[in-house]
Amino acid sequence: MQRKVVRVLALAQILGGIGTGATMSLGAMLVTDVSGSAAWSGMAMTMGALGAALLAMPLAHLAQAKGRRISLSTGAWIAVLGGVVVIIAAGVRSLPLLLVGMVLMGSGSALNLQARFAATDLASEATRGRDLSHVVWSTTIGAVVGPNLFGPGESLGESMGMPPFTGGFIIGGIAQLLGAAVYLGGLRPDPLLFAAKGQRTAGGIQPQTDGTSVGGFRLLRSSPGAKRAVLTLASSHAVMVALMAMTPVHLTGHGASLTMVGLTISLHVVGMFAFSPALGYLTDRFGARIVVLAGQAILLGALVLAILGSHNDVLVTVSLGLLGLGWSASTLAGSAMVSQAVESVHRPRLQGVSDSLMNLAGAAGGAAAGPVLANIGFSGLSAVLITLVAVTVIAQIGRK
């Protein structure tokens, strides 16, 4: 049953990744076109992250009440609704409505994060990291394929008389609808509802000691393990988003070609997802804490390289690749820590709080990175971000 769940989640993640990749990559250009100013371009990513943060907890509560299949499919439908709002906003040239659509489309990111936790509902202690990593890895396919559908999407949009930069939202919406169908049809029986009947151990399913539901923030306050896990996720995501969001600005400001910028971001995405299976194996083999610390060491290396090589395009590119790999190790192992922190009956609410705080940290990091870059440069931004790595390492080393 667990193998089936992982396969279903992986397929749906590929479709969801295509939907997100085919649309969010157009967001900055569409916002610039509608607003008439490049100064607004960063709002596409910010609104998407804000939407993911706002929708993470409602979707988690829905999972707690109705199961993963209803929650995940609902998240996909909300993302489709967001795409429709974006297309309408582009047609009437309304920036506020466009930003509302971007917030709703953040549901796609929220459900992608929730899907990785769904892989742990029935996982054993020995395979939790690997099962989670297979679902995360499948996102790579969608993340790579999605942006390459920009051309076909624009051709489709032009043939239908749609506004510029909106054709890809049709492709994205279709992919999300197919993903919703996979969730609804494939997650039977529902893994979370099945797990709620008992807690999986090495000896099989055992009755839960407490079937009551506890609020996510209450769980976070009462569990030191949950605090460390959520801190790791939020801090690592803030570091990644802040440096990644400013890298294209830094590179183009120093005369780098768009080809070089594209190569840098592509290498970063590879680092984020491609090595997930290996990191999942290491998490199961050596423990989540060791992999988190290794991830923080890689993040530190990326930041130091960015400081020392800020004027060298090749070194910045390598730095972004390491940044993605460090983020991947930290978030995959940190997600496993979240699942380990409480019994399965309580996990969805804690996972919802975790995803909300993670996305809020990313949005805050991205928003703060611009002023920091403008005042103290790329090297200064990287140096500031080292403090977040230090906080995470201290929290992990100082655990009881």
Side-chain angles (χ1 to χ4, degrees):
M1 181 177 175
Q2 172 65 356
R3 286 194 295 270
K4 174 192 172 186
V5 168
V6 171
R7 287 196 296 267
V8 169
L9 292 173
L11 175 58
Q13 281 288 84
I14 292 173
L15 293 167
I18 291 174
T20 302
T23 54
M24 295 308 292
S25 57
L26 297 171
M29 291 182 286
L30 185 56
V31 169
T32 300
D33 180 64
V34 172
S35 68
S37 171
W40 285 91
S41 60
M43 291 302 293
M45 178 177 289
T46 300
M47 290 297 102
L50 179 61
L54 293 175
L55 291 165
M57 291 181 62
L59 289 176
H61 289 184
L62 185 59
Q64 187 90 50
K66 301 294 184 180
R68 296 289 190 191
R69 58 186 290 270
I70 299 299
S71 176
L72 294 172
S73 59
T74 299
W77 292 332
I78 294 174
V80 173
L81 174 62
V84 173
V85 172
V86 164
I87 293 173
I88 294 173
V92 300
R93 311 294 291 178
S94 172
L95 180 60
L97 186 60
L98 178 59
L99 296 179
V100 169
M102 293 291 178
V103 170
L104 292 174
M105 290 191 65
S107 178
S109 298
L111 76 90
N112 285 345
L113 291 173
Q114 189 179 119
R116 81 193 192 281
F117 284 125
T120 69
D121 289 335
L122 296 175
S124 67
E125 293 289 339
T127 65
R128 179 178 286 121
R130 275 169 285 182
D131 290 343
L132 192 154
S133 70
H134 289 316
V135 175
V136 173
W137 181 87
S138 64
T139 308
T140 309
I141 300 174
V144 172
V145 173
N148 289 291
L149 296 176
F150 170 72
E154 279 301 282
S155 298
L156 176 63
E158 289 176 5
S159 68
M160 299 175 65
M162 296 175 60
F165 307 119
T166 58
F169 289 87
I170 297 178
I171 295 177
I174 293 173
Q176 291 286 14
L177 287 174
L178 290 174
V182 171
Y183 287 130
L184 283 173
L187 295 181
R188 294 176 180 270
D190 189 284
L192 181 59
L193 297 181
F194 189 85
K197 299 176 182 178
Q199 185 175 5
R200 178 173 290 276
T201 67
I205 298 293
Q206 301 296 330
Q208 290 281 14
T209 58
D210 181 8
T212 60
S213 176
V214 179
F217 283 104
R218 179 181 171 188
L219 288 167
L220 185 60
R221 289 193 300 268
S222 63
S223 171
K227 291 177 183 177
R228 285 190 295 270
V230 173
L231 172 64
T232 296
L233 292 171
S235 174
S236 300
H237 198 57
V239 170
M240 188 276 289
V241 172
L243 194 65
M244 181 270 291
M246 292 300 103
T247 297
V249 178
H250 170 72
L251 287 175
T252 55
H254 285 78
S257 66
L258 292 179
T259 300
M260 189 66 187
V261 173
L263 175 63
T264 300
I265 299 303
S266 295
L267 184 61
H268 174 68
V269 172
V270 168
M272 288 176 66
F273 300 115
F275 301 98
S276 296
L279 294 171
Y281 169 80
L282 293 174
T283 298
D284 293 333
R285 178 68 176 82
F286 298 105
R289 177 170 172 263
I290 296 298
V291 176
V292 164
L293 291 174
Q296 296 302 302
I298 296 172
L299 287 178
L300 177 61
L303 295 172
V304 170
L305 190 60
I307 293 172
L308 300 177
S310 61
H311 296 289
N312 186 311
D313 293 350
V314 174
L315 292 181
V316 171
T317 298
V318 174
S319 171
L320 261 286
L322 291 175
L323 183 75
L325 180 60
W327 175 90
S328 182
S330 300
T331 55
L332 194 151
S335 298
M337 284 181 169
V338 170
S339 295
Q340 294 167 358
V342 295
E343 294 180 343
S344 61
V345 70
H346 300 312
R347 284 175 192 158
R349 293 188 184 276
L350 178 60
Q351 291 162 356
V353 169
S354 171
D355 286 347
S356 288
L357 294 177
M358 177 179 171
N359 280 293
L360 285 173
V372 173
L373 180 72
N375 284 281
I376 58 178
F378 194 70
S379 296
L381 172 63
S382 302
V384 170
L385 294 175
I386 288 178
T387 60
L388 294 179
V389 174
V391 168
T392 302
V393 171
I394 291 171
Q396 291 292 339
I397 293 177
R399 72 175 192 171
K400 294 180 181 180

